[in-house]
Amino acid sequence: MAHVRELLKDKNFFLLWFAQIVSNFGDRLDQMALIGLIYLRTPGSTIELAKLLSFTILPVFIIGPIAGICVDRWNRKATMITCDLIRGALVLLIPLIIKYSTSMVPIYAVVFVIFSVTRFFIPSKLSIIPDIVHKDKLLLANSLSSTTMMIATIVSFGFSGIIVAALGPQGGFYIDSASYFISAILVFFLAVKLKEKIDLKTAEVKLKDIARKTIIGDIKEGLRYLKDHKDIKMVANTMFLLMAGVGSIYIVIIVFIQEALRSSTEHLGLLVMFLGIGLFLGSIAYGKFGSRFSKRKVINFGLITTGLIVVIFTVCLKFAPSFLIAGALSVMLGIFSAPIIVSSNTLLHEVMLDEMRGRVFSSLEIIMHAGFLLFMFLASVTAEKIGRDWVLITIGALFSIIGLIKLARLGKEEKRG
């Protein structure tokens, strides 16, 4: 704790750390205000919510591959300030659009630009820490930053839901905008080590060359490596399945909770907070005791249990709606989901070549987000026809069945081995 206090006394790190917390809160508030907006305009519509949230994910595919390269060539402090100012100004436009237009198209456009700008902010934020912290404090700085952000995200969802429920989506957007401007002010006062100036024409040529040769080539090579390596292919399939399941459930369960508990964002934000607490506890517990178990078995057991919890959650809220029961089940869902994520990432680190890590993780990002988007829309359309409860029960049951099948196959392989 003494080292942490010493680090927080460092003016530069404290400013960045606090700016991250404020910005993180703004991101969560933005998401919750958008959910609240859809609830007011088209209550019960899974398709409208899916369309809106897809514009928050598309920048990962379109902007993400280029953003990291640009950030390496730009002034990171200036990039962060510019991103915050742009996002703050754009968020202020949304209440005006709500007031003067009934169309969702302008909101889709603004949301897409906001989250495109965020793709530049995130790598800038992650990359600037070595520029303001001494090398011997770098590990502690990254650890404190990651842990704080996880806790801040969990808490922010809870408060965001309450704020949007009390002030409405417009009030949420105003506070969200203010959070970005505050973050920009905090970052402005950072003292960052100066870097050598880069010739703009040379940087532009290099950027085009890297975009043409590295990004596309690395993604193709990463996908080929995934296809040819048995263990990595298994993890990739599991992560695709997991994200497809999350995508299927994500939109449907939001609307299902809103209708079951009869609130727009208040209960939803708190339930997400409970889920985050479960993920945090599950990660810590698995990190301490998980080394004695087979990672493949942990992944499959996790699929079985999370599927069952989703089914129980749906049935409970359908026939006996209770926020307390929903909260307890959300914590349990997080606890049993965390080992799946931790085991998958650890297994990847163990079996892949060091020089392939960047390409593999880049390819996995594309696979996972593609699965999320595709099944988000499929589940949203299906839910409109057969009901949200049946979609959730079906997805939960499929998770458990797939986990059981994979666990049985793994047992047979071990016997033969």
Side-chain angles (χ1 to χ4, degrees):
M1 286 300 293
H3 293 299
V4 171
R5 284 196 297 270
E6 184 183 337
L7 184 61
L8 290 175
K9 286 179 181 178
D10 184 314
K11 177 192 167 187
N12 283 321
F13 180 78
F14 179 79
L15 286 170
L16 178 64
W17 177 76
F18 192 56
Q20 282 182 290
I21 293 174
V22 173
S23 182
N24 184 283
F25 173 71
D27 290 339
R28 304 291 80 76
L29 187 58
D30 193 28
Q31 291 174 13
M32 203 58 70
L34 290 171
I35 291 171
L37 175 61
I38 292 295
Y39 180 80
L40 289 178
R41 288 209 163 180
T42 53
S45 175
T46 52
I47 295 175
E48 285 301 319
L49 188 56
K51 282 197 290 187
L52 179 61
L53 292 181
S54 67
F55 285 95
T56 70
I57 299 169
L58 285 172
V60 172
F61 299 99
I62 301 170
I63 308 298
I66 295 293
I69 296 169
C70 292
V71 165
D72 283 340
R73 284 154 178 77
W74 294 347
N75 181 300
R76 288 162 186 162
K77 174 182 171 179
T79 301
M80 289 176 69
I81 293 170
T82 304
C83 287
D84 273 335
L85 292 175
I86 291 172
R87 292 190 296 177
L90 288 170
V91 170
L92 276 179
L93 289 177
I94 298 178
L96 293 174
I97 296 170
I98 295 171
K99 186 176 180 180
Y100 295 107
S101 175
T102 56
S103 173
M104 289 297 295
V105 175
I107 294 175
Y108 294 155
V110 172
V111 167
F112 177 80
V113 177
I114 289 171
F115 280 84
S116 294
V117 173
T118 299
R119 300 319 302 174
F120 291 92
F121 181 86
I122 292 172
S124 299
K125 176 185 71 176
L126 295 173
S127 302
I128 204 172
I129 292 178
D131 296 336
I132 63 171
V133 175
H134 195 270
K135 283 184 179 180
D136 61 359
K137 295 180 181 177
L138 197 55
L139 179 62
L140 179 61
N142 278 304
S143 177
L144 179 60
S145 180
S146 298
T147 305
T148 304
M149 287 313 104
M150 185 182 292
I151 295 170
T153 298
I154 292 168
V155 175
S156 294
F157 267 118
F159 279 109
S160 296
I162 294 170
I163 289 169
V164 174
L167 303 179
Q170 281 131 312
F173 288 125
Y174 287 129
I175 297 174
D176 178 27
S177 177
S179 74
Y180 288 129
F181 291 134
I182 293 169
S183 174
I185 293 169
L186 291 168
V187 175
F188 176 79
F189 288 103
L190 281 178
V192 182
K193 287 179 280 187
L194 292 175
K195 292 184 176 291
E196 185 182 345
K197 289 185 178 179
I198 298 172
D199 180 72
L200 291 177
K201 288 185 178 179
T202 305
E204 187 179 353
V205 171
K206 285 183 179 179
L207 179 60
K208 288 179 180 178
D209 186 58
I210 290 171
R212 178 170 56 85
K213 293 181 179 179
T214 305
I215 296 172
I216 297 171
D218 283 0
I219 289 172
K220 285 182 178 179
E221 193 173 350
L223 289 171
R224 281 197 299 269
Y225 190 72
L226 281 173
K227 183 181 177 182
D228 297 337
H229 199 292
K230 181 183 174 183
D231 288 326
I232 296 176
K233 187 177 179 180
M234 186 277 289
V235 176
N237 289 336
T238 300
M239 296 305 284
F240 177 83
L241 171 67
L242 192 63
M243 288 304 288
V246 172
S248 302
I249 292 171
Y250 187 68
I251 299 296
V252 180
I253 205 165
I254 286 173
V255 179
F256 179 73
I257 290 169
Q258 287 174 333
E259 292 186 340
L261 299 178
R262 299 184 180 181
S263 66
S264 60
T265 59
E266 183 180 1
H267 291 114
L268 180 64
L270 290 171
L271 290 179
V272 174
M273 185 175 74
F274 291 144
L275 176 66
I277 291 170
L279 286 168
F280 185 67
L281 294 174
S283 298
I284 292 173
Y286 183 61
K288 189 171 183 179
F289 304 108
S291 58
R292 68 188 74 173
F293 304 110
S294 161
K295 294 177 185 64
R296 292 169 182 80
K297 285 184 179 179
V298 167
I299 291 169
N300 295 325
F301 180 75
L303 290 174
I304 296 168
T305 51
T306 52
L308 285 172
I309 292 169
V310 169
V311 172
I312 294 168
F313 182 95
T314 306
V315 173
C316 286
L317 257 68
K318 174 72 175 175
F319 296 105
S322 167
F323 174 70
L324 290 176
I325 293 174
L329 289 170
S330 296
V331 174
M332 287 178 61
L333 184 62
I335 289 171
F336 285 101
S337 297
I340 302 176
I341 301 165
V342 176
S343 293
S344 297
N345 286 332
T346 305
L347 196 57
L348 281 174
H349 284 133
E350 288 176 351
V351 299
M352 78 171 74
L353 295 173
D354 180 64
E355 62 268 21
M356 290 299 299
R357 285 178 184 171
R359 277 161 280 192
V360 170
F361 280 114
S362 176
S363 301
L364 274 175
E365 274 283 298
I366 293 171
I367 291 169
M368 288 161 62
H369 281 92
F372 183 94
L373 269 180
L374 174 62
F375 283 88
M376 180 178 73
F377 276 105
L378 286 174
S380 299
V381 172
T382 306
E384 297 287 329
K385 295 181 179 179
I386 69 170
R388 285 169 279 281
D389 50 346
W390 283 111
V391 169
L392 294 174
I393 289 170
T394 302
I395 297 298
L398 283 173
F399 260 56
S400 294
I401 291 167
I402 292 169
L404 281 168
I405 292 170
K406 283 175 169 282
L407 201 59
R409 284 180 180 173
L410 187 60
K412 289 180 180 178
E413 287 177 11
E414 288 178 350
K415 285 181 181 179
R416 284 200 299 267

